[in-house]
Amino acid sequence: MELKLKPIELPGVEMKRPIVIAGPCSAETDEQVMNTARELAENGIKIFRAGIWKPRTRPGAFEGVGSAGLPWLQRVKQETGMYIAVEVATAQHVYEAIKFGVDIVWIGARTTANPFAVQEIADALRGSDMPVLVKNPVNPDLELWIGAFERLNRAGICRLGAIHRGFSVYDKSRFRNHPQWQIPIELRRRIPQLPIFTDPSHITGNSNLIQEVSQDAMDLNFDGLIIESHECPARAWSDASQQVTPAHLKIILNSLILRDHAIGDKSRVTLDELRAQIDKLDTQILESLAKRMNISKEIAKFKYDHNITVLQTRRYDEILKSRREKAEQFKLNPEFVIKVYEDIHEESVNTQTAVMKQLAEEQNKE
Ligand code: PEP
Ligand code: MN
């Protein structure tokens, strides 16, 4: 279905890239909320976030202060003039948020993955003009993400935005949630008018990487950033490692380079966006190569322990044959792919030989 979208537009907020939403992962106390909010407002932040109902992976962790936090957010609104945003996961959360004058709600990643929950939220929002931001589902499923926008849109909610917060992976890399940039890029291609916010806090899980991922998002021409900021990250009751102080946030935002793009024409992909996509893919290729070489080292140890030679010609022939077939399947030039694999194989053999030599030397010493 074609989405009927309206711009989010908040009086007094310039909808200029990057549109920034900032605030703590969780509202903890009245003071923590107010102190953080005041500092952020002084630094020019216009939209304040705070989780009050927290979906936690394991029970027993801090699950949010609940509705008790809503008056604190009302106070933020009254005293700083910032707009306030909270996460909702049930119809009851929606009713409470509306009652307390919340300006924006977002649907969390675990909730987006559940169509029943999204439908319940959409039904509860029916008849309101609430802007709703939808985080990507925890799993890399673009259709499920788009499905959530469709459910909200069918309930008459037109002021929609997407939050890209990365995707769960079993083997942790340097990111808490893998960005898989190709997914929000494809979302932009499919629904060009939908604003996309990047959430570098939940992508990285690490306050030292927020700047880098924020810049990546700007290079891809995404619209906004939602960043967790806490008056004292080390003492935060949730997501301590990824939160930044308001002062640190200011430094990050000031450092961002905003490259030109075709203003008002989001469907046009610019040269910078294409280059940023290439950069992302190259990083993935290099990460894969590094993983491959590490496995080669494991293999070398195995061969050493079992007295097997490094070079296994039959295996090499199989690799070349199957990679040639794959190349054809992916419409790549097979000659080019074979050349690349000859180099990779050579490097792998050299690495294995070096590992085996080292193991032999160590054994001789013993
Ligand atoms: C959050 O924004 O604090 C949150 C719980 O995020 P996510 O749904 O992306 O895990
Ligand atoms: Mn969080």
Side-chain angles (χ1 to χ4, degrees):
M1 79 180 245
E2 175 126 13
L3 294 184
K4 288 194 201 70
L5 297 178
K6 281 200 288 202
I8 289 181
E9 274 173 3
L10 302 166
V13 182
E14 232 189 321
M15 286 296 163
K16 221 176 67 194
R17 287 194 321 134
I19 307 161
V20 179
I21 303 173
C25 176
S26 304
E28 298 163 5
T29 64
D30 196 358
E31 295 75 57
Q32 168 253 4
V33 166
M34 271 323 295
N35 291 344
T36 310
R38 270 197 213 103
E39 254 195 276
L40 289 169
E42 277 163 21
N43 293 345
I45 302 298
K46 306 277 187 215
I47 311 170
F48 184 75
R49 64 148 281 157
I52 55 176
W53 299 288
K54 301 299 300 177
R56 304 310 298 276
T57 304
R58 307 281 296 271
F62 171 58
E63 294 194 321
V65 293
S67 305
L70 286 166
W72 309 342
L73 298 181
Q74 256 183 336
R75 195 172 150 211
V76 166
K77 195 168 160 171
Q78 280 155 8
E79 292 188 20
T80 70
M82 279 193 283
Y83 290 91
I84 53 177
V86 297
E87 171 174 349
V88 291
T90 67
Q92 194 56 35
H93 296 166
V94 172
Y95 301 138
E96 293 276 303
I98 292 174
K99 194 165 95 193
F100 281 85
V102 165
D103 301 291
I104 300 173
V105 296
W106 81 82
I107 298 181
R110 292 158 193 80
T111 308
T112 309
N114 178 355
F116 290 124
V118 174
Q119 191 59 51
E120 178 186 316
I121 293 168
D123 291 338
L125 284 164
R126 200 181 286 273
S128 82
D129 193 27
M130 182 78 87
V132 182
L133 306 178
V134 181
K135 289 201 168 195
N136 62 257
V138 278
N139 53 323
D141 185 341
L142 178 60
E143 299 310 315
L144 199 52
W145 200 2
I146 292 178
F149 294 111
E150 290 173 339
R151 286 178 196 281
L152 289 158
N153 212 211
R154 283 181 182 206
I157 307 298
C158 300
R159 300 165 75 196
L160 294 172
I163 300 177
H164 165 228
R165 53 76 82 194
F167 302 87
S168 284
V169 280
Y170 184 66
D171 41 341
K172 294 283 172 245
S173 62
R174 68 193 186 107
F175 295 126
R176 176 180 177 192
N177 291 294
H178 201 279
Q180 304 217 21
W181 294 100
Q182 68 277 18
I183 295 176
I185 288 168
E186 178 62 11
L187 178 66
R188 160 97 349 136
R189 197 188 65 77
R190 298 262 296 267
I191 316 175
Q193 299 317 317
L194 185 72
I196 299 180
F197 291 76
T198 295
D199 177 342
S201 309
H202 290 90
I203 289 177
T204 64
N206 177 348
S207 54
N208 295 321
L209 298 176
I210 306 284
Q211 197 279 341
E212 177 189 329
V213 169
S214 301
Q215 184 64 57
D216 287 344
M218 290 302 102
D219 290 344
L220 289 168
N221 199 16
F222 291 158
D223 305 86
L225 297 168
I226 174 164
I227 301 182
E228 288 188 338
S229 179
H230 189 288
E231 59 165 342
C232 178
R235 284 210 303 268
W237 298 0
S238 60
D239 288 351
S241 62
Q242 69 193 31
Q243 304 207 57
V244 292
T245 60
H248 186 181
L249 178 66
K250 188 177 174 184
I251 295 170
I252 291 171
L253 295 176
N254 285 339
S255 79
L256 296 178
I257 300 164
L258 295 178
R259 300 189 163 91
D260 283 344
H261 65 288
I263 296 157
D265 181 8
K266 283 192 189 158
S267 57
R268 219 193 100 200
V269 181
T270 66
L271 184 58
D272 275 338
E273 285 171 59
L274 292 171
R275 285 184 174 150
Q277 290 180 25
I278 292 268
D279 290 348
K280 294 279 145 347
L281 289 172
D282 278 349
T283 306
Q284 285 174 20
I285 291 173
L286 290 171
E287 274 171 3
S288 296
L289 271 179
K291 273 193 196 152
R292 195 185 192 284
M293 284 305 159
N294 283 336
I295 293 175
S296 287
K297 287 181 190 158
E298 294 281 318
I299 291 181
K301 284 189 203 118
F302 182 91
K303 286 177 178 167
Y304 182 82
D305 290 343
H306 294 81
N307 248 334
I308 305 173
T309 58
V310 165
L311 189 62
Q312 299 282 314
T313 332
R314 232 186 53 216
R315 166 75 182 147
Y316 184 38
D317 286 344
E318 275 165 18
I319 289 183
L320 291 184
K321 183 165 169 285
S322 79
R323 302 322 184 247
R324 177 184 288 276
E325 282 165 11
K326 277 257 165 9
E328 279 162 5
Q329 199 184 327
F330 293 147
K331 305 229 171 341
L332 283 165
N333 174 0
E335 303 316 317
F336 156 71
V337 171
I338 293 301
K339 219 163 64 196
V340 171
Y341 269 96
E342 281 167 356
D343 281 348
I344 291 177
H345 186 259
E346 188 184 329
E347 181 63 16
S348 177
V349 167
N350 290 343
T351 305
Q352 289 193 24
T353 312
V355 170
M356 288 176 85
K357 222 162 96 190
Q358 197 190 342
L359 289 171
E361 276 166 18
E362 280 164 18
Q363 204 176 35
N364 284 340
K365 269 193 226 141
E366 280 165 12

